[in-house]
PDB file of all heavy atoms in Angstrom:
ATOM      1  N   GLY A  29      14.182  12.749   4.349  1.00  0.00           N
ATOM      2  CA  GLY A  29      14.477  11.497   5.046  1.00  0.00           C
ATOM      3  C   GLY A  29      13.317  10.517   4.960  1.00  0.00           C
ATOM      4  O   GLY A  29      13.511   9.317   4.776  1.00  0.00           O
ATOM      5  N   ALA A  30      12.097  11.046   5.074  1.00  0.00           N
ATOM      6  CA  ALA A  30      10.914  10.198   4.994  1.00  0.00           C
ATOM      7  C   ALA A  30      10.772   9.598   3.597  1.00  0.00           C
ATOM      8  O   ALA A  30      10.435   8.421   3.457  1.00  0.00           O
ATOM      9  CB  ALA A  30       9.664  11.000   5.366  1.00  0.00           C
ATOM     10  N   ILE A  31      11.036  10.387   2.574  1.00  0.00           N
ATOM     11  CA  ILE A  31      10.931   9.887   1.194  1.00  0.00           C
ATOM     12  C   ILE A  31      11.877   8.713   0.981  1.00  0.00           C
ATOM     13  O   ILE A  31      11.494   7.684   0.437  1.00  0.00           O
ATOM     14  CB  ILE A  31      11.189  11.025   0.182  1.00  0.00           C
ATOM     15  CG1 ILE A  31      10.014  12.006   0.197  1.00  0.00           C
ATOM     16  CG2 ILE A  31      11.423  10.467  -1.215  1.00  0.00           C
ATOM     17  CD1 ILE A  31      10.275  13.311  -0.541  1.00  0.00           C
ATOM     18  N   ALA A  32      13.106   8.854   1.442  1.00  0.00           N
ATOM     19  CA  ALA A  32      14.078   7.758   1.299  1.00  0.00           C
ATOM     20  C   ALA A  32      13.610   6.517   2.057  1.00  0.00           C
ATOM     21  O   ALA A  32      13.696   5.393   1.547  1.00  0.00           O
ATOM     22  CB  ALA A  32      15.454   8.206   1.790  1.00  0.00           C
ATOM     23  N   ALA A  33      13.079   6.708   3.271  1.00  0.00           N
ATOM     24  CA  ALA A  33      12.606   5.575   4.066  1.00  0.00           C
ATOM     25  C   ALA A  33      11.394   4.913   3.410  1.00  0.00           C
ATOM     26  O   ALA A  33      11.270   3.684   3.415  1.00  0.00           O
ATOM     27  CB  ALA A  33      12.260   6.043   5.474  1.00  0.00           C
ATOM     28  N   LEU A  34      10.515   5.710   2.826  1.00  0.00           N
ATOM     29  CA  LEU A  34       9.326   5.158   2.174  1.00  0.00           C
ATOM     30  C   LEU A  34       9.685   4.410   0.896  1.00  0.00           C
ATOM     31  O   LEU A  34       9.094   3.369   0.594  1.00  0.00           O
ATOM     32  CB  LEU A  34       8.319   6.266   1.900  1.00  0.00           C
ATOM     33  CG  LEU A  34       7.687   6.843   3.175  1.00  0.00           C
ATOM     34  CD1 LEU A  34       7.077   8.203   2.900  1.00  0.00           C
ATOM     35  CD2 LEU A  34       6.675   5.869   3.749  1.00  0.00           C
ATOM     36  N   GLU A  35      10.643   4.917   0.166  1.00  0.00           N
ATOM     37  CA  GLU A  35      11.130   4.181  -1.004  1.00  0.00           C
ATOM     38  C   GLU A  35      11.730   2.855  -0.556  1.00  0.00           C
ATOM     39  O   GLU A  35      11.562   1.823  -1.215  1.00  0.00           O
ATOM     40  CB  GLU A  35      12.135   5.015  -1.776  1.00  0.00           C
ATOM     41  CG  GLU A  35      11.486   6.177  -2.510  1.00  0.00           C
ATOM     42  CD  GLU A  35      12.471   7.176  -3.109  1.00  0.00           C
ATOM     43  OE1 GLU A  35      13.669   7.181  -2.698  1.00  0.00           O
ATOM     44  OE2 GLU A  35      12.053   7.953  -3.985  1.00  0.00           O
ATOM     45  N   GLY A  36      12.400   2.861   0.595  1.00  0.00           N
ATOM     46  CA  GLY A  36      12.939   1.627   1.168  1.00  0.00           C
ATOM     47  C   GLY A  36      11.843   0.653   1.562  1.00  0.00           C
ATOM     48  O   GLY A  36      11.984  -0.565   1.381  1.00  0.00           O
ATOM     49  N   LEU A  37      10.724   1.157   2.098  1.00  0.00           N
ATOM     50  CA  LEU A  37       9.591   0.300   2.442  1.00  0.00           C
ATOM     51  C   LEU A  37       9.062  -0.378   1.186  1.00  0.00           C
ATOM     52  O   LEU A  37       8.791  -1.579   1.190  1.00  0.00           O
ATOM     53  CB  LEU A  37       8.484   1.126   3.111  1.00  0.00           C
ATOM     54  CG  LEU A  37       7.241   0.339   3.511  1.00  0.00           C
ATOM     55  CD1 LEU A  37       6.769   0.748   4.892  1.00  0.00           C
ATOM     56  CD2 LEU A  37       6.136   0.508   2.501  1.00  0.00           C
ATOM     57  N   ASN A  38       8.947   0.372   0.100  1.00  0.00           N
ATOM     58  CA  ASN A  38       8.490  -0.217  -1.169  1.00  0.00           C
ATOM     59  C   ASN A  38       9.475  -1.287  -1.646  1.00  0.00           C
ATOM     60  O   ASN A  38       9.071  -2.354  -2.116  1.00  0.00           O
ATOM     61  CB  ASN A  38       8.314   0.871  -2.227  1.00  0.00           C
ATOM     62  CG  ASN A  38       7.647   0.332  -3.472  1.00  0.00           C
ATOM     63  OD1 ASN A  38       6.488  -0.063  -3.429  1.00  0.00           O
ATOM     64  ND2 ASN A  38       8.381   0.304  -4.569  1.00  0.00           N
ATOM     65  N   ASP A  39      10.768  -1.022  -1.503  1.00  0.00           N
ATOM     66  CA  ASP A  39      11.784  -2.015  -1.881  1.00  0.00           C
ATOM     67  C   ASP A  39      11.651  -3.278  -1.032  1.00  0.00           C
ATOM     68  O   ASP A  39      11.784  -4.399  -1.544  1.00  0.00           O
ATOM     69  CB  ASP A  39      13.192  -1.440  -1.740  1.00  0.00           C
ATOM     70  CG  ASP A  39      13.501  -0.338  -2.738  1.00  0.00           C
ATOM     71  OD1 ASP A  39      12.771  -0.209  -3.751  1.00  0.00           O
ATOM     72  OD2 ASP A  39      14.470   0.417  -2.493  1.00  0.00           O
ATOM     73  N   ILE A  95       6.076   3.000  -7.253  1.00  0.00           N
ATOM     74  CA  ILE A  95       5.512   4.225  -6.695  1.00  0.00           C
ATOM     75  C   ILE A  95       5.267   5.204  -7.833  1.00  0.00           C
ATOM     76  O   ILE A  95       6.178   5.539  -8.578  1.00  0.00           O
ATOM     77  CB  ILE A  95       6.477   4.855  -5.664  1.00  0.00           C
ATOM     78  CG1 ILE A  95       6.760   3.885  -4.524  1.00  0.00           C
ATOM     79  CG2 ILE A  95       5.898   6.175  -5.134  1.00  0.00           C
ATOM     80  CD1 ILE A  95       7.882   4.342  -3.591  1.00  0.00           C
ATOM     81  N   LEU A  98       4.049  10.155  -4.314  1.00  0.00           N
ATOM     82  CA  LEU A  98       4.385  10.068  -2.898  1.00  0.00           C
ATOM     83  C   LEU A  98       4.222  11.441  -2.282  1.00  0.00           C
ATOM     84  O   LEU A  98       4.791  12.420  -2.768  1.00  0.00           O
ATOM     85  CB  LEU A  98       5.820   9.564  -2.735  1.00  0.00           C
ATOM     86  CG  LEU A  98       6.332   9.312  -1.331  1.00  0.00           C
ATOM     87  CD1 LEU A  98       5.460   8.318  -0.579  1.00  0.00           C
ATOM     88  CD2 LEU A  98       7.769   8.794  -1.389  1.00  0.00           C
ATOM     89  N   PHE A  99       3.400  11.533  -1.229  1.00  0.00           N
ATOM     90  CA  PHE A  99       3.198  12.772  -0.493  1.00  0.00           C
ATOM     91  C   PHE A  99       3.667  12.543   0.932  1.00  0.00           C
ATOM     92  O   PHE A  99       3.300  11.546   1.551  1.00  0.00           O
ATOM     93  CB  PHE A  99       1.717  13.178  -0.482  1.00  0.00           C
ATOM     94  CG  PHE A  99       1.410  14.264   0.505  1.00  0.00           C
ATOM     95  CD1 PHE A  99       1.622  15.590   0.166  1.00  0.00           C
ATOM     96  CD2 PHE A  99       0.933  13.968   1.769  1.00  0.00           C
ATOM     97  CE1 PHE A  99       1.365  16.602   1.083  1.00  0.00           C
ATOM     98  CE2 PHE A  99       0.670  14.963   2.686  1.00  0.00           C
ATOM     99  CZ  PHE A  99       0.884  16.285   2.339  1.00  0.00           C
ATOM    100  N   VAL A 100       4.463  13.461   1.458  1.00  0.00           N
ATOM    101  CA  VAL A 100       4.911  13.409   2.849  1.00  0.00           C
ATOM    102  C   VAL A 100       4.530  14.732   3.495  1.00  0.00           C
ATOM    103  O   VAL A 100       4.790  15.801   2.927  1.00  0.00           O
ATOM    104  CB  VAL A 100       6.433  13.179   2.947  1.00  0.00           C
ATOM    105  CG1 VAL A 100       6.888  13.165   4.398  1.00  0.00           C
ATOM    106  CG2 VAL A 100       6.830  11.885   2.254  1.00  0.00           C
ATOM    107  N   LEU A 106       3.398  11.819   8.378  1.00  0.00           N
ATOM    108  CA  LEU A 106       2.307  11.162   7.671  1.00  0.00           C
ATOM    109  C   LEU A 106       2.671  11.116   6.203  1.00  0.00           C
ATOM    110  O   LEU A 106       3.267  12.061   5.680  1.00  0.00           O
ATOM    111  CB  LEU A 106       1.000  11.951   7.857  1.00  0.00           C
ATOM    112  CG  LEU A 106      -0.215  11.445   7.082  1.00  0.00           C
ATOM    113  CD1 LEU A 106      -0.735  10.145   7.704  1.00  0.00           C
ATOM    114  CD2 LEU A 106      -1.314  12.492   7.080  1.00  0.00           C
ATOM    115  N   ALA A 107       2.309  10.041   5.545  1.00  0.00           N
ATOM    116  CA  ALA A 107       2.612   9.930   4.118  1.00  0.00           C
ATOM    117  C   ALA A 107       1.482   9.210   3.391  1.00  0.00           C
ATOM    118  O   ALA A 107       0.757   8.404   3.981  1.00  0.00           O
ATOM    119  CB  ALA A 107       3.919   9.169   3.907  1.00  0.00           C
ATOM    120  N   VAL A 108       1.360   9.527   2.109  1.00  0.00           N
ATOM    121  CA  VAL A 108       0.434   8.845   1.215  1.00  0.00           C
ATOM    122  C   VAL A 108       1.248   8.385   0.014  1.00  0.00           C
ATOM    123  O   VAL A 108       1.986   9.174  -0.581  1.00  0.00           O
ATOM    124  CB  VAL A 108      -0.712   9.775   0.755  1.00  0.00           C
ATOM    125  CG1 VAL A 108      -1.588   9.078  -0.279  1.00  0.00           C
ATOM    126  CG2 VAL A 108      -1.535  10.245   1.942  1.00  0.00           C
ATOM    127  N   MET A 109       1.150   7.111  -0.295  1.00  0.00           N
ATOM    128  CA  MET A 109       1.856   6.522  -1.433  1.00  0.00           C
ATOM    129  C   MET A 109       0.817   5.926  -2.372  1.00  0.00           C
ATOM    130  O   MET A 109      -0.031   5.145  -1.934  1.00  0.00           O
ATOM    131  CB  MET A 109       2.821   5.435  -0.936  1.00  0.00           C
ATOM    132  CG  MET A 109       3.634   4.752  -2.017  1.00  0.00           C
ATOM    133  SD  MET A 109       4.612   3.348  -1.364  1.00  0.00           S
ATOM    134  CE  MET A 109       5.769   4.161  -0.277  1.00  0.00           C
ATOM    135  N   LEU A 132       0.502   5.970   5.338  1.00  0.00           N
ATOM    136  CA  LEU A 132       1.594   5.443   6.163  1.00  0.00           C
ATOM    137  C   LEU A 132       1.861   6.352   7.352  1.00  0.00           C
ATOM    138  O   LEU A 132       1.692   7.570   7.278  1.00  0.00           O
ATOM    139  CB  LEU A 132       2.861   5.311   5.316  1.00  0.00           C
ATOM    140  CG  LEU A 132       2.678   4.400   4.108  1.00  0.00           C
ATOM    141  CD1 LEU A 132       2.846   5.184   2.833  1.00  0.00           C
ATOM    142  CD2 LEU A 132       3.641   3.245   4.167  1.00  0.00           C
ATOM    143  N   TRP A 139       8.547   3.343   9.131  1.00  0.00           N
ATOM    144  CA  TRP A 139       7.235   3.568   8.535  1.00  0.00           C
ATOM    145  C   TRP A 139       6.452   2.269   8.454  1.00  0.00           C
ATOM    146  O   TRP A 139       7.018   1.199   8.230  1.00  0.00           O
ATOM    147  CB  TRP A 139       7.404   4.154   7.137  1.00  0.00           C
ATOM    148  CG  TRP A 139       7.820   5.579   7.168  1.00  0.00           C
ATOM    149  CD1 TRP A 139       9.096   6.058   7.139  1.00  0.00           C
ATOM    150  CD2 TRP A 139       6.977   6.722   7.258  1.00  0.00           C
ATOM    151  NE1 TRP A 139       9.088   7.431   7.200  1.00  0.00           N
ATOM    152  CE2 TRP A 139       7.795   7.858   7.272  1.00  0.00           C
ATOM    153  CE3 TRP A 139       5.602   6.895   7.321  1.00  0.00           C
ATOM    154  CZ2 TRP A 139       7.290   9.149   7.348  1.00  0.00           C
ATOM    155  CZ3 TRP A 139       5.095   8.176   7.390  1.00  0.00           C
ATOM    156  CH2 TRP A 139       5.931   9.288   7.408  1.00  0.00           C
ATOM    157  N   GLU A 140       5.125   2.382   8.630  1.00  0.00           N
ATOM    158  CA  GLU A 140       4.252   1.225   8.503  1.00  0.00           C
ATOM    159  C   GLU A 140       2.965   1.642   7.804  1.00  0.00           C
ATOM    160  O   GLU A 140       2.546   2.798   7.861  1.00  0.00           O
ATOM    161  CB  GLU A 140       3.957   0.603   9.861  1.00  0.00           C
ATOM    162  CG  GLU A 140       3.273   1.536  10.832  1.00  0.00           C
ATOM    163  CD  GLU A 140       3.141   0.965  12.240  1.00  0.00           C
ATOM    164  OE1 GLU A 140       3.816  -0.036  12.570  1.00  0.00           O
ATOM    165  OE2 GLU A 140       2.343   1.514  13.005  1.00  0.00           O
TER     166      GLU A 140
END
Side-chain angles (χ1 to χ4, degrees):
I31 289 168
L34 291 161
E35 289 170 343
L37 180 137
N38 189 66
D39 292 343
I95 301 170
L98 184 57
F99 167 83
V100 178
L106 175 73
V108 175
M109 181 186 294
L132 301 116
W139 286 92
E140 60 187 15

